[in-house]
Amino acid sequence: MSIKHFLKKILYKVLDAQPFLYKPECKIFNHKFEIHKTDIDIWPSYPHMHSIEDNLVLNIYTGEVYRKITRAYISEAREKDMKKLWNDKRFLEIVLDVRKNKPINIKELDPIPTKWMNSENLKYIIQKKDNAY
């Protein structure tokens, strides 16, 4: 293993431990994506995800994938991948936390896509709303 590869591996291990960054296990559009709790960019959605391998961004509410630099629409994520994502409890917690602390320049947030969620996560959202979400 080269030193560069070894250092990159250590860096990713450190980043994985950061509370502001999360990489779900599922691949979307055949890429690994990550969500940043502190990302203030509101395009294409707030919050959104960035691909690790390429310059792609994912609208977490619609599944639309775009090129980050050109903002060109690429395609939509598969239904089963979006279901996996929205049924990841940690991902859901991060999304709800980020939405709660939205920037003032966002008038309205996109609706949470409940069609992709299992009953356990739907109950969790209802509980969060009841507790001042």
Side-chain angles (χ1 to χ4, degrees), residues 69-131:
I69 305 298
T70 63
R71 295 188 173 196
Y73 172 78
I74 304 286
S75 185
E76 279 191 31
R78 296 182 307 184
E79 192 87 11
K80 74 176 194 174
D81 294 336
M82 293 306 291
K83 284 181 181 179
K84 264 188 202 175
L85 180 65
W86 279 96
N87 289 302
D88 181 323
K89 187 73 164 212
R90 187 159 175 221
F91 168 79
L92 182 58
E93 288 171 352
I94 288 171
V95 169
L96 293 178
D97 190 39
V98 170
R99 287 171 62 96
K100 184 173 65 176
N101 299 311
K102 71 178 177 63
I104 58 171
N105 62 333
I106 297 179
K107 302 286 186 254
E108 265 186 59
L109 292 166
D110 291 315
I112 292 175
T114 55
K115 66 180 180 181
W116 291 325
M117 299 172 77
N118 61 26
S119 59
E120 181 184 331
N121 283 356
L122 286 171
K123 288 177 189 171
Y124 180 74
I125 288 177
I126 291 167
Q127 176 190 10
K128 282 293 220 183
K129 284 184 180 177
D130 289 344
N131 293 326

Side-chain angles (χ1 to χ4, degrees), residues 21-24 28 31-45 47-60 65-69 91:
L21 174 69
Y22 179 58
K23 289 185 258 183
I28 298 168
H31 286 78
K32 292 287 280 178
F33 279 82
E34 60 191 12
I35 187 166
H36 305 252
K37 281 179 86 170
T38 56
D39 188 354
I40 59 168
D41 181 16
I42 62 172
W43 183 84
S45 64
H48 57 271
M49 297 181 79
H50 296 266
S51 73
I52 297 169
E53 297 97 358
D54 205 352
N55 245 350
L56 302 176
V57 289
L58 170 72
N59 180 326
I60 63 170
V65 180
Y66 298 89
R67 291 247 174 252
K68 182 171 174 59
I69 305 298
F91 168 79

